[in-house]
Amino acid sequence: MAEENAQERTEAATPKRQEDARKKGQVARSRELSTSALLLVSASLFYVFADHIYQNIAAFLYAGLHLSTPEMTDSGDLLRHFARMLTMATWMTLPYFLILLVAVMASGLMVGGWVFSTQSLIPDFTKLDPISGAQKIISKHGALELVKAVLKTLVIGGFGVTLLWAQRHALIGLVAETPDHALLHLMRMSGLVFLILSATTLLIVLFDVPFQIWTLNQKLKMSHQEIKDEMKESDGNPEIKSKVRAMQREMARRRMMAAIPKADVIVTNPTHYAVALRYKEGEQRAPMLLAKGADLIAAKIREIAAEHHIPIVEAPPLARALFHHVELEQEIPASLYRAVAELLAYLYQLRVAAPQQYPPLPDSWSVPAELDKRD
């Protein structure tokens, strides 16, 4: 039971899962929004351009039914007349068609945005499975879709009946008008009713858009194990990362050892720690730490220093402070300036003194007590 609960998808989708789903074309889409936009734009065009549409229809019917005797008897003339009528109908409807096309495309991008996925173009024949289709119908999602369909029918049907009842006197009064005025008046009333009914579909949209977003979020939810697997995949295998860090440490150690011949002095503990310092007056503000190590690495530093005739000075407090408080290729802190200056002064005395007159090693070094970390 505990294992089953661990696999339950109770966690919100991670950004990576959302991005992967988007690449597959899985984004929130509201068909109700597209349908409502199509109806609203159509109704608005029909209501605003009712007079123009009526005139175009009248002109089209007149031109279509006004045939001369040769056109009715000659098949070639009849085909040419049919082509003219087809061209006329195309130019009459093309502007409206383009406007509706733009409206449908724009409404489709309002929820989910623009997504192009080649995977969504591949046919999924599993959707033809009647068993899975029946399961979707009786699922929670299917029940909500049923509620939405019933709600749509009640809202639109209720508004439709109300509007027709409110227009009953005007509809009856059409019989007293001339045919032209009656048809134009009927188109205007139809356009108004169509527009109001289309506007009522926005109530469905206000319900459907959050529902589609919620449905997608539920579908993309993840289990704790899926999140762990994704993090492992994103961060990399721990064993591989450990090997990479080991390689990086080895490369850093080799670079450090290669820098030791450039050092001016090696400060030791005398055997536990070894620190290599370099100072070029006029080029550096303060001495820089080129290498440091403990135990075997310290021994290797001393060995390389001996091969390159670099002075090795035993200064345990200073060696400990440098080892613990200064990183590689960093200048020493100001708190150690005095102690290092004493070290450099001692080295200068060694260089200028005769072998039989070497100065004695200082008994103490000016290392602050808080920096002298003893093991």
Side-chain angles (χ1 to χ4, degrees):
M1 181 65 72
E3 187 172 311
E4 290 179 0
N5 292 335
Q7 296 302 320
E8 289 181 0
R9 296 184 174 183
T10 57
E11 304 301 316
T14 61
K16 182 180 183 301
R17 185 177 179 89
Q18 293 175 349
E19 183 62 27
D20 291 343
R22 189 174 185 84
K23 291 178 180 179
K24 297 178 182 178
Q26 296 179 0
V27 294
R29 294 295 189 202
S30 174
R31 288 179 294 179
E32 300 299 334
L33 177 60
S34 300
T35 302
S36 180
L38 179 62
L39 291 175
L40 275 172
V41 174
S42 301
S44 300
L45 293 173
F46 189 74
Y47 179 71
V48 173
F49 298 104
D51 293 359
H52 186 260
I53 294 173
Y54 174 76
Q55 293 172 4
N56 284 340
I57 293 176
F60 181 78
L61 292 175
Y62 179 81
L65 299 175
H66 190 269
L67 295 171
S68 62
T69 302
E71 288 176 332
M72 290 187 291
T73 56
D74 186 86
S75 60
D77 289 342
L78 189 61
L79 286 174
R80 283 188 289 272
H81 179 76
F82 177 77
R84 288 195 299 270
M85 296 305 301
L86 184 62
T87 302
M88 183 179 179
T90 300
W91 285 110
M92 287 171 54
T93 58
L94 184 60
Y96 301 104
F97 175 77
L98 293 177
I99 293 174
L100 294 177
L101 180 62
V102 171
V104 171
M105 294 180 63
S107 63
L109 299 178
M110 290 178 66
V111 180
W114 170 260
V115 176
F116 177 76
S117 172
T118 56
Q119 296 185 26
S120 60
L121 301 178
I122 302 175
D124 186 4
F125 295 103
T126 59
K127 294 182 179 180
L128 301 178
D129 186 1
I131 298 177
S132 62
Q135 291 175 346
K136 290 181 181 179
I137 293 175
I138 61 176
S139 65
K140 181 169 62 175
H141 178 76
L144 291 174
E145 288 289 343
L146 178 60
V147 170
K148 185 174 66 175
V150 172
L151 180 63
K152 186 193 309 184
T153 303
L154 292 176
V155 171
I156 297 177
F159 272 95
V161 171
T162 303
L163 289 172
L164 289 176
W165 181 256
Q167 297 287 338
R168 65 187 185 280
H169 299 296
L171 290 172
I172 296 174
L174 292 176
V175 297
E177 300 179 10
T178 61
D180 286 344
H181 286 88
L183 287 173
L184 183 58
H185 192 185
L186 179 62
M187 286 191 63
R188 290 172 179 170
M189 286 193 298
S190 301
L192 179 60
V193 172
F194 186 22
L195 182 60
I196 295 175
L197 287 178
S198 299
T200 60
T201 60
L202 292 175
L203 298 175
I204 310 299
V205 171
L206 292 177
F207 168 80
D208 186 65
V209 170
F211 170 68
Q212 296 300 334
I213 296 175
W214 175 83
T215 301
L216 179 66
N217 290 336
Q218 291 295 116
K219 184 179 180 180
L220 295 181
K221 274 190 173 182
M222 306 172 67
S223 65
H224 290 288
Q225 186 60 42
E226 288 175 330
I227 293 178
K228 290 180 180 178
D229 293 342
E230 183 181 292
M231 292 178 62
K232 185 181 294 184
E233 181 181 348
S234 300
D235 297 340
N237 191 302
E239 295 181 0
I240 297 177
K241 291 177 63 177
S242 177
K243 291 181 180 179
V244 171
R245 285 195 294 266
M247 292 176 62
Q248 291 173 341
R249 287 194 298 268
E250 178 62 21
M251 292 174 64
R253 190 182 69 83
R254 290 180 181 179
R255 288 196 302 269
M256 182 183 72
M257 292 301 180
I260 293 175
K262 301 177 183 178
D264 295 316
V265 62
I266 306 297
V267 187
T268 65
N269 194 24
T271 59
H272 189 46
Y273 296 128
V275 178
L277 294 178
R278 179 177 183 270
Y279 178 65
K280 296 299 181 184
E281 189 174 357
E283 297 180 7
Q284 300 173 229
R285 295 179 303 175
M288 179 182 294
L289 190 146
L290 295 183
K292 66 177 182 177
D295 300 326
L296 294 178
I297 297 179
K300 185 66 176 178
I301 292 175
R302 293 194 300 271
E303 179 184 339
I304 296 175
E307 293 176 358
H308 292 82
H309 308 289
I310 300 173
I312 300 176
V313 178
E314 294 183 9
L318 182 57
R320 289 193 296 266
L322 291 170
F323 181 86
H324 290 293
H325 299 285
V326 185
E327 298 299 327
L328 292 174
E329 299 182 355
Q330 286 188 356
E331 295 181 349
I332 65 171
S335 55
L336 291 176
Y337 279 0
R338 184 174 179 179
V340 174
E342 294 172 352
L343 173 66
L344 296 178
Y346 173 73
L347 291 177
Y348 178 76
Q349 294 175 11
L350 286 178
R351 292 193 187 102
V352 300
Q356 63 275 12
Q357 297 178 345
Y358 280 164
L361 190 67
D363 295 331
S364 62
W365 303 90
S366 302
V367 177
E370 64 272 14
L371 299 184
D372 186 6
K373 182 178 180 181
R374 295 179 180 273
D375 298 330

